[in-house]
Amino acid sequence: MGGLTVLKLASNVIRATRRNCISADHKPEAKFYSRSSKTDSFYVNDHKKMLHQLPIYASGEIVRGFGRGSKELGIPTANLALDVVKSLPESLHTGVYYGWSNVNNGEVYKMVLSVGWNPFYNNKEKSVETHMLHKFDCDLYGQTLKICIVGYLRPEKNFDSLDDLIKVIKSDIEEAKTLLDKPENRKLQENPFFSDKISKC
Ligand code: ADP
Ligand code: RBF
Ligand code: MG
């Protein structure tokens, strides 16, 4: 399971090549605090700090989840291994993001990303799931997914119906397509991270 994790926070490049291992350079400034324990203005500032850390780069093995993405939503998501999820900075809040991703150093595609507990399904384990805006002909389990998290779209929400969840995800996808076409976001698609050697030691 132990996949390579590579993170870049602002100007710090962090490489973790072992389970749950993050280099000493990694000092997340902000931690997540729930609204109940802190004031709204604290929460807003904390959120702003998190946005300043983007883009964040990460990679790891694609593992199996519950299989709902393709079967129930028609929107498959490549789930990152749990050790990678746990090694991401705490300051990366739960929510929906957009960015770039590739598989086994292949072509880099636009993506949308869900980070959290999927309130509609009330998952017990936090997941980091990437839906790439590309049609793949085969499954990708066991391969290495690289992601560059570029921007934040919205918090995770619960919904009254599966149809409502699907509608909102589809509108996330449309928003992501537009945002990623901005020149400053488009240039991240070319980042050498996506072609760096994959090491699984
Ligand atoms: P799981 O719950 O196991 O993650 P999903 O139903 O979410 O299953 O489907 C995800 C799997 O579908 C991925 O792991 C990958 O193998 C495959 N897949 C096919 N196309 C895509 C895509 N465009 N984006 C992400 N995963 C895809
Ligand atoms: N799950 C939720 O419960 N609430 C959400 O708001 C939510 N937003 C998502 C947005 C995107 C772009 C994606 C790809 C997934 C989202 N999910 C959300 C996760 C979804 O429930 C999950 O991918 C499926 O259950 C398959 O694992
Ligand atoms: Mg999935």
Side-chain angles (χ1 to χ4, degrees), residues 60-64 79 103-104 139-145 200:
E61 186 184 337
I62 299 173
V63 298
R64 279 182 195 278
N79 294 27
V103 177
N104 282 1
D139 81 52
L140 309 169
Y141 294 115
Q143 305 204 41
T144 298
L145 178 75
K200 288 194 177 180

Side-chain angles (χ1 to χ4, degrees), residues 62 64-67 69-70 76-79 130 132 134 136 139-141:
I62 299 173
R64 279 182 195 278
F66 297 106
S70 33
T77 56
N79 294 27
T130 301
M132 286 170 274
H134 176 75
F136 290 90
D139 81 52
L140 309 169
Y141 294 115

Side-chain angles (χ1 to χ4, degrees), residues 117-170:
W117 284 270
N118 301 356
F120 184 75
Y121 290 101
N122 199 15
N123 287 355
K124 299 288 168 262
E125 204 68 72
K126 186 176 179 182
S127 67
V128 173
E129 307 177 29
T130 301
H131 172 66
M132 286 170 274
L133 307 193
H134 176 75
K135 190 162 173 9
F136 290 90
D137 293 329
C138 53
D139 81 52
L140 309 169
Y141 294 115
Q143 305 204 41
T144 298
L145 178 75
K146 289 185 177 176
I147 59 175
C148 167
I149 308 171
V150 175
Y152 176 83
L153 291 174
R154 63 173 176 87
E156 288 189 291
K157 289 188 282 199
N158 201 347
F159 292 90
D160 291 334
S161 71
L162 185 61
D163 273 357
D164 289 345
L165 171 62
I166 294 170
K167 263 187 216 142
V168 172
I169 297 179
K170 287 191 171 159

Side-chain angles (χ1 to χ4, degrees), residues 7 10 28 30 34 39-40 60 63 70 72 77 89 107-108 122 140 152 155-156 158-159 174 178 186 188 192 200:
L7 306 169
S34 71
T39 62
D40 277 3
V63 298
S70 33
E72 292 186 23
T77 56
E107 200 170 327
V108 181
N122 199 15
L140 309 169
Y152 176 83
E156 288 189 291
N158 201 347
F159 292 90
E174 291 312 310
T178 308
R186 175 64 72 187
L188 294 167
K200 288 194 177 180

Side-chain angles (χ1 to χ4, degrees), residues 7 14-16 18 20-26 86-89:
L7 306 169
I14 294 135
R15 282 168 198 280
R18 289 216 174 264
N20 301 337
C21 168
I22 291 201
S23 104
D25 291 0
H26 177 223
K86 289 186 171 163
S87 72
L88 286 165

